[in-house]
Amino acid sequence: MDKQFDRKIVLEDGSVYLGYSFGSKSEKICEIVFNTSMVGYQEIISDPSYTYQAVVMTYPIIGNYGITDEDYETKTPTIGAIVVKDYNDFPSNFRATKTLAEILEEYDIPGIYGVDTRKLTRSIRNFGSRKVIITDIGVSDEEALNKLKNYIMPTDAVKKVSSKKKWYSRTFHAKYNVVAVDCGIKYNIIRSLNKRGCNVTVVPFNITPDEIASLKPDGVFFSNGPGNPEDVIETIELIKKIKGKYPIFGICLGHQLISLAYGAKTYKLKFGHRGGNHPVKNLINNKIEITSQNHSYAVDPKSIEKTKLKITHINILDNTIEGVEYLKDKIFSVQYHPESAPGPQDSAYLFDKFIKMMEESKHA
């Protein structure tokens, strides 16, 4: 006898996708997006940038190598939900300590499998990211649509995931002290800085300029994170007040916040960039980098022309801005993830650029 569907996804346009439950059986309303990565589902579910989002994995088999203790990108996963074609609950990996379903259940994250993810991905690509509800098969479509209609997506994503107090990640024979402003920081960013001789102090998104000054940083880093950058007013104001005082590096949301602090504008992409296969052109050396990305918003190119920022990188696929800098203020940022693990290593040089900037600033 065939197994009966027990869960479903209902989109705002009334389309319904049936599937089977794994992980938490809670009902969730999220923004639905897709990710084209072939590996790295643990890093995806533990990336704070997916807060309030249901992620459709385009690679069909998920769960087959389990969950390992060393590969988390944050301590407490906050992803909204995960949608997959085939779920494997019997991982073959000597490093695995838990299954994906166990982690989802532990953190109240619903998973649904058996879904036609190709059709769903095409829907997102053609009609854009939008609200969906993941619910029990017994909930009527009319009731699900009514819940969707009356639900307002939260705008507090960065506040939800940012550190509530400062914490430290130190390394041997450190040469630099970096303050990392946590808007939803990924652990591999911190590892990448530690590996290059940086002691890192991770601080909340709403830290004050005076508190940063008291930490005597050689450089300040602004992290990735979830949601609309225009909602993170405290961090934008912080950047306005400290730019030019320290070497500054921003990634993803940090890139958008830096651009906003200089007077640029941002806009929401139709379905965003998520995956490890985006070609980006470095306009400084004319080389192409294969990058890993995860964002819903981009910086408006016309608005950049009215700022002091110089565009350094563009996306080959859609010409969106992928990097900016203003060397007089010792500030630069990129939209993609040079630290991505697993992922392309083409852009790891950006951390070395930050190190060089701090070195030059120390001896200026």
Side-chain angles (χ1 to χ4, degrees), residues 162 179-185 201-207 212 220-224 235 238 242:
S162 179
V179 168
V181 179
D182 178 12
C183 297
I185 197 165
T201 304
V202 181
V203 298
F205 77 103
N206 56 357
I207 191 172
I212 284 184
V220 180
F221 175 83
F222 288 89
S223 83
N224 62 292
T235 313
L238 170 64
I242 69 168

Side-chain angles (χ1 to χ4, degrees), residues 44-100:
I44 289 167
I45 67 156
S46 61
D47 181 348
S49 296
Y50 287 114
T51 302
Y52 302 139
Q53 290 180 332
V55 180
V56 180
M57 299 300 295
T58 61
Y59 188 76
I61 303 173
I62 301 296
N64 52 310
Y65 55 84
I67 297 290
T68 62
D69 294 335
E70 301 86 5
D71 293 346
Y72 287 100
E73 288 290 3
T74 190
K75 202 173 289 184
T76 306
T78 54
I79 189 173
I82 187 167
V83 182
V84 307
K85 174 60 178 171
D86 295 318
Y87 172 64
N88 184 314
D89 205 35
F90 302 96
S92 176
N93 178 6
F94 73 95
R95 296 175 65 232
T97 54
K98 294 181 181 179
T99 67
L100 175 57

Side-chain angles (χ1 to χ4, degrees), residues 244-302:
K245 294 183 179 180
Y246 316 97
I248 292 175
F249 178 24
I251 286 175
C252 201
L253 181 65
H255 159 77
Q256 297 160 8
L257 297 174
I258 286 169
S259 299
L260 288 167
Y262 275 84
K265 297 185 182 304
T266 55
Y267 65 98
K268 189 167 187 180
L269 296 165
K270 186 177 180 181
F271 50 81
H273 296 161
R274 293 174 184 86
N277 49 8
H278 286 261
V280 166
K281 184 175 183 180
N282 183 326
L283 300 178
I284 297 171
N285 60 20
N286 284 324
K287 290 184 177 179
I288 304 297
E289 303 168 24
I290 302 302
T291 69
S292 180
Q293 307 212 1
N294 174 17
H295 60 103
S296 295
Y297 291 81
V299 177
D300 175 36
K302 289 184 179 178

Side-chain angles (χ1 to χ4, degrees), residues 4-280:
Q4 296 296 309
F5 291 123
D6 62 350
R7 300 286 278 175
K8 66 180 178 181
I9 303 168
V10 182
L11 280 68
E12 287 180 283
D13 62 7
S15 56
V16 179
Y17 294 80
L18 303 180
Y20 309 102
S21 173
F22 72 104
S24 170
K25 290 181 170 59
S26 61
E27 182 178 273
K28 288 282 181 74
I29 295 177
C30 308
E31 177 190 29
I32 196 159
V33 299
F34 66 83
N35 187 298
T36 59
S37 300
M38 292 189 288
V39 292
Y41 57 78
Q42 178 173 348
E43 289 80 1
I44 289 167
I45 67 156
S46 61
D47 181 348
S49 296
Y50 287 114
T51 302
Y52 302 139
Q53 290 180 332
V55 180
V56 180
M57 299 300 295
T58 61
Y59 188 76
I61 303 173
I62 301 296
N64 52 310
Y65 55 84
I67 297 290
T68 62
D69 294 335
E70 301 86 5
D71 293 346
Y72 287 100
E73 288 290 3
T74 190
K75 202 173 289 184
T76 306
T78 54
I79 189 173
I82 187 167
V83 182
V84 307
K85 174 60 178 171
D86 295 318
Y87 172 64
N88 184 314
D89 205 35
F90 302 96
S92 176
N93 178 6
F94 73 95
R95 296 175 65 232
T97 54
K98 294 181 181 179
T99 67
L100 175 57
E102 288 169 344
I103 290 300
L104 297 185
E105 189 173 0
E106 185 176 340
Y107 293 103
D108 192 29
I109 300 164
I112 180 168
Y113 75 96
V115 174
D116 186 345
T117 51
R118 290 186 300 175
K119 182 180 178 182
L120 183 51
T121 299
R122 283 196 298 270
S123 174
I124 300 166
R125 184 192 65 191
N126 294 339
F127 302 108
S129 303
R130 52 215 191 273
K131 283 189 295 184
V132 298
I133 184 169
I134 298 172
T135 189
D136 189 79
I137 195 76
V139 175
S140 70
D141 296 351
E142 292 75 18
E143 183 183 349
L145 283 167
N146 192 49
K147 288 180 179 180
L148 273 179
K149 182 180 177 182
N150 293 314
Y151 185 80
I152 299 172
M153 291 296 295
T155 58
D156 65 343
V158 167
K159 183 179 180 181
K160 177 181 173 71
V161 301
S162 179
S163 304
K164 303 301 180 277
K165 59 183 179 180
K166 66 176 180 285
W167 57 276
Y168 307 93
S169 180
R170 296 193 172 95
T171 189
F172 295 108
H173 309 300
K175 295 182 179 179
Y176 310 99
N177 291 310
V178 172
V179 168
V181 179
D182 178 12
C183 297
I185 197 165
K186 293 168 65 180
Y187 283 167
N188 207 49
I189 290 173
I190 299 169
R191 295 184 199 112
S192 297
L193 290 167
N194 286 156
K195 191 168 72 173
R196 289 167 173 82
C198 300
N199 280 337
V200 179
T201 304
V202 181
V203 298
F205 77 103
N206 56 357
I207 191 172
T208 67
D210 287 344
E211 288 172 314
I212 284 184
S214 71
L215 297 170
K216 297 181 171 54
D218 297 309
V220 180
F221 175 83
F222 288 89
S223 83
N224 62 292
N228 185 342
E230 293 180 2
D231 292 334
V232 198
I233 297 167
E234 299 92 333
T235 313
I236 296 169
E237 291 303 313
L238 170 64
I239 296 168
K240 287 180 181 177
K241 291 172 182 173
I242 69 168
K243 59 187 174 69
K245 294 183 179 180
Y246 316 97
I248 292 175
F249 178 24
I251 286 175
C252 201
L253 181 65
H255 159 77
Q256 297 160 8
L257 297 174
I258 286 169
S259 299
L260 288 167
Y262 275 84
K265 297 185 182 304
T266 55
Y267 65 98
K268 189 167 187 180
L269 296 165
K270 186 177 180 181
F271 50 81
H273 296 161
R274 293 174 184 86
N277 49 8
H278 286 261
V280 166

